[in-house]
C-alpha cells in the first residue's frame, strides 16, 4: 500500500430522492478516494469504485461517466485543500521571504499525498474522456482556489506581483507532479534500488518537501529579481 487507510465497504439501496442521489455520488467519490489512498491513483477503476461503494457497476454510470471524472472531482477538492492551507499560513503574522513562501507551498503539498498523485495525472489523463461540460464544472472549483492562492501570494510577497504569483504557482504544482512520483516510486522499484544503489545518484534520493522548497525558493528569487530589473529598465 502506498498510503495505508482502513476503509469499510459501503452498502446502499436504490437511490430514489435527490438527497439519496447526492449521497450516492458522494459515496462513490469517497470510494475512489480510499482506493487511491491505498494503492495510488493509477489503480482506480470504475469497477473497483463500484465494488468498494457497494453499488452495481451499471448504476455508477448514472452519476459518473468514468473513473477519470470521479478522480477529477478529487483533484478539485485537492486544489481547495491546498489553497485553504496556504492562504491561512501566509495570512499569519510574521515576516515573509522567498524561502518561507516556498516552504509553505511545498509543505502544503507534502501534507496531501493524494493531491500530489492526482497532479501527475490531471492534465495527462483525468481531463480526457470526460464530458467537456463536466470538466468545466469541476474547473470552476479549482480556478477559484488558484485565484485565492495567487492573491495570498501577492499579498505575502508583493515583489512577485500578480504575474509572478501565478508563475510560482505554476512552478509549484508542475514540479510537485513530477517530484512526487520520483520521491515515491512503487514498492517493487524501491526494493530493487535498495539492492542496486549504483543505479541512482545519491542526490536523487529525494525528500519531496525539501527538494520542492529548494527549487521553489530559487524560482521565487529569480522571479523577484526579474521583476526588479524590469522596474529599473535593466535587461538580464
Amino acid at each position: 500500500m502506498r498510503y495505508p487507510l482502513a476503509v469499510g465497504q459501503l452498502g446502499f439501496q436504490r437511490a430514489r430522492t435527490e438527497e439519496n442521489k447526492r449521497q450516492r455520488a458522494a459515496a462513490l467519490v469517497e470510494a475512489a478516494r480510499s482506493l487511491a489512498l491505498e494503492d495510488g491513483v493509477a489503480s482506480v477503476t470504475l469497477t473497483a469504485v463500484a465494488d468498494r461503494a457497494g453499488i452495481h457497476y451499471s448504476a455508477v454510470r448514472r452519476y459518473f461517466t468514468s473513473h477519470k471524472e470521479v478522480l477529477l472531482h478529487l483533484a478539485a477538492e485537492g486544489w481547495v485543500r491546498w489553497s485553504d492551507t496556504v492562504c491561512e499560513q501566509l495570512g499569519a503574522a510574521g515576516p515573509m521571504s522567498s524561502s518561507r513562501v516556498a516552504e509553505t507551498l511545498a509543505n502544503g503539498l507534502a501534507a496531501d499525498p493524494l493531491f500530489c498523485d492526482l497532479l501527475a495525472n490531471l492534465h495527462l489523463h483525468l481531463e480526457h474522456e470526460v464530458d467537456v461540460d463536466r470538466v468545466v464544472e469541476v474547473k470552476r472549483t479549482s480556478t477559484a482556489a488558484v485565484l485565492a492562492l495567487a492573491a495570498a501570494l501577492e499579498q505575502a510577497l508583493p515583489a512577485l506581483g500578480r504575474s509572478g504569483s501565478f508563475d510560482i504557482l505554476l512552478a509549484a504544482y508542475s514540479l510537485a507532479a513530477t517530484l512526487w512520483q520520483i520521491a515515491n516510486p512503487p514498492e517493487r522499484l524501491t526494493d530493487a534500488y535498495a539492492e542496486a544503489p549504483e543505479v541512482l545518484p545519491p542526490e536523487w534520493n529525494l525528500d519531496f518537501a525539501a527538494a520542492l522548497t529548494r527549487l521553489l525558493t530559487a524560482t521565487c528569487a529569480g522571479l523577484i529579481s526579474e521583476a526588479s530589473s524590469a522596474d529599473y529598465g535593466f535587461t538580464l
Side-chain angles (χ1 to χ4, degrees):
M1 291 187 182
R2 296 184 67 186
Y3 323 119
L5 181 68
V7 293
Q9 188 182 61
L10 303 173
F12 287 90
Q13 296 180 346
R14 183 178 176 83
R16 299 185 183 278
T17 67
E18 288 303 315
E19 180 59 26
N20 288 152
K21 291 176 181 177
R22 282 192 291 270
Q23 292 176 353
R24 182 69 57 84
L28 290 167
V29 171
E30 289 307 310
R33 187 196 314 279
S34 68
L35 288 166
L37 283 168
E38 288 176 7
D39 296 310
V41 169
S43 71
V44 178
T45 66
L46 204 58
T47 300
V49 170
D51 289 344
R52 175 60 58 88
I55 300 172
H56 193 275
Y57 176 81
S58 62
V60 176
R61 295 277 184 177
R62 300 171 189 165
Y63 305 94
F64 298 102
T65 58
S66 70
H67 70 287
K68 293 178 181 178
E69 186 180 338
V70 187
L71 293 172
L72 202 59
H73 280 266
L74 291 177
E77 290 179 4
W79 278 107
V80 173
R81 287 193 301 272
W82 187 35
S83 179
D84 288 347
T85 298
V86 171
C87 288
E88 180 181 358
Q89 293 183 7
L90 291 182
M96 285 294 167
S97 63
S98 294
S99 59
R100 183 177 175 188
V101 166
E103 184 178 30
T104 302
L105 289 168
N107 287 344
L109 288 164
D112 199 339
L114 174 57
F115 183 44
C116 291
D117 199 2
L118 286 162
L119 283 176
N121 294 272
L122 182 57
H123 300 302
L124 186 60
H125 299 295
L126 301 188
E127 292 181 346
H128 296 261
E129 299 177 18
V130 176
D131 184 81
V132 172
D133 290 340
R134 292 293 188 96
V135 175
V136 171
E137 177 187 339
V138 173
K139 201 77 167 179
R140 295 184 196 281
T141 300
S142 59
T143 297
V146 168
L147 290 172
L149 273 168
L153 286 168
E154 186 177 5
Q155 183 174 3
L157 214 56
L160 276 175
R162 182 173 175 81
S163 63
S165 297
F166 276 98
D167 281 346
I168 198 68
L169 281 177
L170 177 61
Y173 92 80
S174 300
L175 287 167
T178 299
L179 288 175
W180 179 259
Q181 303 303 324
I182 295 173
N184 295 275
E187 186 175 349
R188 62 185 182 82
L189 290 182
T190 301
D191 294 340
Y193 296 155
E195 295 177 3
E198 73 280 0
V199 302
L200 284 179
E203 293 81 4
W204 274 25
N205 185 17
L206 296 178
D207 176 87
F208 172 76
L212 185 55
T213 297
R214 184 170 65 252
L215 294 173
L216 289 180
T217 299
T219 302
C220 198
L223 288 169
I224 291 174
S225 176
E226 182 179 16
S228 299
S229 297
D231 288 341
Y232 286 100
F234 297 151
T235 301
L236 295 180

